[in-house]
Amino acid sequence: MVEELLTAVVAAGVGAAVYMGAAARVVKQYERGLVFRFGRLREEVRPPGFTVIVPLIDRLRKVNMQIVTLPVPAQEGITRDNVTVRVDAVVYFKVVDPASAVVAVEDYRFAVSQMAQTSLRSIIGKSDLDDLLSNREMLNQGLELMIDSPAVGWGVQIDRVEIKDVSLPETMKRSMARQAEADRERRARVINADAELQASHKLAEAAEVMSEQPAALQLRLLHTVVAVAAEKNSTLVLPFPVELLRFLERAAPPPPAAPAHTDPAPSGPASEGPGPDGVGPLPEGGDGPEPVSPPPEPPALGTAGPAPSPDGSAP
């Protein structure tokens, strides 16, 4: 009798241990438990810790409540300004309603991934290339709103969406590099021109001061010589002031005036005698035309000629 009692107690203990092993469940701190009894969801959500279900009748489904990091595969699209780009992103979300996450959607992770890819392609088509490169905060907010709208019915809350990288074609990269170089060169030229303008004003003021004090120019010349000599070069370049050249030019005597020459009057050939103006041919080595007296007129008929001179020569 005692042996039968002990056997029954042992059998009951073993049965209870087996039952408790089959019914006992442990829900972790970052999880919540959903109990399905004969396929029907129980309203009570099991909190973290030790819990018991009915073996062979209940089935416990654990749902992770942690923030999930979901990478979005790179999506290729054409921006609004007709540039082909590849954009990848990352989505941070968590489950806030375990019952909706299990019942309302088959696989909430896959659903969020597909919605993120679709929204990312839509954002690429609506944005310009400059917005994708420099104005990502606004695009992240728009992408978060597009994904969060349907995810609310799935018991999922989108915590954050970030665009990770934007891949551009090589030709576009080279074009953007040339544009950046041209813009930097333009700014450098503007800065140099501004510096030249300021330097010209200062030089004009310095020239005005030096014009009032001529000794300042000589002092400046000596300072230049000292600066050149400090380099320890074998060749010394000594600037020559232009004012000294002007002083020497003013001090030099004027050159003698050249004699004036008169142009000879036109005359006939030498064999034909003097020309009509009474000017004979220009002798060689002469300084000017030699006047020729006109021939004497013959005496008129019936009149006596002039008396001869005592020496017998004609008058």
Side-chain angles (χ1 to χ4, degrees):
M1 183 69 181
V2 176
E3 293 179 356
E4 293 178 357
L5 182 60
L6 292 175
T7 303
V9 171
V10 171
V14 172
V18 172
Y19 179 82
M20 290 300 297
R25 295 289 185 275
V26 176
V27 180
K28 297 180 181 180
Q29 181 65 36
Y30 54 85
E31 294 177 340
R32 299 293 184 271
L34 299 177
V35 178
F36 290 88
R37 178 167 295 177
F38 294 111
R40 188 179 183 86
L41 178 66
R42 304 284 294 178
E43 296 182 358
E44 180 185 1
V45 178
R46 302 297 174 91
F50 181 79
T51 184
V52 179
I53 62 174
V54 179
L56 304 178
I57 297 178
D58 295 342
R59 185 172 62 89
L60 181 66
R61 174 78 179 270
K62 299 178 182 180
V63 180
N64 193 339
M65 305 295 290
Q66 291 177 316
I67 294 178
V68 181
T69 302
L70 180 65
V72 181
Q75 303 296 315
E76 184 173 356
I78 301 177
T79 61
R80 190 166 57 180
D81 50 355
N82 299 326
V83 178
T84 303
V85 295
R86 289 177 59 88
V87 182
D88 56 351
V90 59
V91 180
Y92 301 91
F93 68 94
K94 63 180 179 179
V95 177
V96 294
D97 187 0
S100 299
V102 174
V103 177
V105 63
E106 180 181 2
D107 186 354
Y108 65 89
R109 290 174 178 263
F110 182 75
V112 172
S113 176
Q114 294 299 315
M115 178 58 63
Q117 295 179 33
T118 305
S119 302
L120 183 58
R121 285 194 295 268
S122 178
I123 285 292
I124 292 174
K126 294 178 181 179
S127 305
D128 295 331
L129 180 61
D130 294 338
D131 295 335
L132 290 175
L133 296 177
S134 60
N135 195 13
R136 294 188 182 181
E137 290 296 332
M138 184 182 65
L139 297 181
N140 293 337
Q141 295 177 3
L143 189 59
E144 180 180 348
L145 291 176
M146 294 180 66
I147 302 175
D148 190 57
S149 298
V152 172
W154 304 336
V156 177
Q157 178 183 354
I158 304 299
D159 187 70
R160 190 175 181 85
V161 181
E162 292 285 346
I163 295 177
K164 292 199 304 183
D165 187 23
V166 178
S167 300
L168 299 175
E170 293 297 329
T171 55
M172 180 58 64
K173 291 181 180 179
R174 289 194 294 268
S175 300
M176 295 176 65
R178 288 195 299 268
Q179 179 182 1
E181 291 176 359
D183 184 65
R184 291 190 181 95
E185 184 177 358
R186 178 186 61 84
R187 287 184 291 178
R189 290 184 178 180
V190 171
I191 293 174
N192 290 335
D194 191 13
E196 292 291 339
L197 178 60
Q198 296 179 7
S200 64
H201 291 319
K202 296 299 181 182
L203 290 175
E205 295 177 2
E208 184 178 356
V209 173
M210 289 183 181
S211 63
E212 296 177 357
Q213 299 293 336
L217 183 61
Q218 300 299 328
L219 293 177
R220 184 59 187 167
L221 177 60
L222 294 177
H223 289 169
T224 305
V225 173
V226 171
V228 174
E231 298 295 333
K232 298 181 181 180
N233 294 329
S234 58
T235 303
L236 179 62
V237 179
L238 182 61
F240 198 78
V242 181
E243 284 75 8
L244 184 57
L245 294 178
R246 294 176 180 173
F247 174 76
L248 295 177
E249 182 180 357
R250 290 194 299 266
H261 296 279
T262 56
D263 296 336
S267 60
S271 58
E272 296 181 359
D277 295 335
V279 180
L282 181 64
E284 295 182 359
D287 293 336
E290 183 178 349
V292 179
S293 59
E297 296 181 359
L301 295 178
T303 61
S309 60
D311 55 359
S313 60

